[in-house]
Amino acid sequence: MWRIFQTKSGKVALSGILAAGSLVIMMLSGVLPFWKSGLAALAGLFPMVGVLIAGRTVGYFCWFTVGVLGIILLPDKGSALLYFLFLGLYPVLKGEIESIRRLPVEWIIKILFFNLIFSIFCVFFQYLFFSELTGLFFNKRSFLFLIGNGVFVCYDMLLSRIVAIMGNYLR
């Protein structure tokens, strides 16, 4: 059934379909602003489906397309940036990181990647949008990173379960 997506034209078509679905979910963040992060995380599942069906190239293409279009078209740039920097990219990268097959090394790479992106995101929003809150941010930075890493570990475990369920379903 999924053989059609193994050809070049099938991969392009699948990338477009998944990107369209992901972009629709991202557009909902403008309608449901209190679900911004959750909708960006849900939109990040579409590139992961592309990876499971047709390979990493499809996942990367879907992620990049939605990321760029999201930054251009969506009214909520923060949600689009969150998708582009992390929630759309990480589900695709996760498979590459886990192909190392050495659990401690995998977790070190995952945690480093998350902290790098989290730092970029915090600094970006702090200096561009909340420069008057600089002192507040620096006082609470270690707490933010501690909570962020805990949430990230839970997110990674949830993604692993979703991949297992989807993998069984797609077979």
Side-chain angles (χ1 to χ4, degrees):
M1 174 179 177
W2 303 109
R3 261 185 261 154
I4 190 169
F5 297 120
Q6 301 308 313
T7 64
K8 285 184 181 181
S9 58
K11 288 180 180 184
V12 170
L14 180 63
S15 296
I17 292 167
L18 292 173
S22 189
L23 194 58
V24 166
I25 299 294
M26 289 295 295
M27 286 182 172
L28 286 175
S29 68
V31 178
L32 305 167
F34 48 91
W35 285 5
K36 288 179 192 181
S37 300
L39 289 170
L42 184 61
L45 296 178
F46 285 80
M48 187 177 70
V49 170
V51 171
L52 292 173
I53 293 174
R56 289 189 187 114
T57 305
V58 171
Y60 282 121
F61 188 72
C62 179
W63 158 74
F64 186 76
T65 303
V66 174
V68 170
L69 288 174
I71 290 171
I72 293 170
L73 298 175
L74 294 179
D76 181 20
K77 304 302 183 200
S79 178
L81 192 62
L82 181 61
Y83 176 89
F84 190 71
L85 288 177
F86 184 69
L87 291 172
L89 177 61
Y90 183 71
V92 180
L93 279 178
K94 180 176 170 54
E96 281 191 53
I97 294 169
E98 290 180 351
S99 67
I100 295 171
R101 301 280 186 222
R102 292 178 56 207
L103 198 58
V105 175
E106 291 173 13
W107 274 106
I108 289 170
I109 293 170
K110 288 176 184 180
I111 296 291
L112 286 174
F113 175 74
F114 170 74
N115 283 303
L116 173 70
I117 297 300
F118 193 64
S119 297
I120 291 169
F121 205 76
C122 285
V123 168
F124 179 77
F125 274 97
Q126 174 193 358
Y127 288 116
L128 284 181
F129 300 110
F130 303 111
S131 59
E132 67 276 357
L133 299 177
T134 302
L136 177 66
F137 174 75
F138 283 112
N139 293 337
K140 308 294 183 199
R141 183 174 40 179
S142 57
F143 179 72
L144 277 175
F145 276 86
L146 182 66
I147 297 298
N149 279 288
V151 170
F152 169 70
V153 169
C154 293
Y155 174 68
D156 182 76
M157 290 177 173
L158 180 64
L159 272 181
S160 294
R161 299 240 172 148
I162 291 171
V163 166
I165 291 168
M166 289 176 121
N168 288 333
Y169 176 74
L170 293 174
R171 280 187 220 127

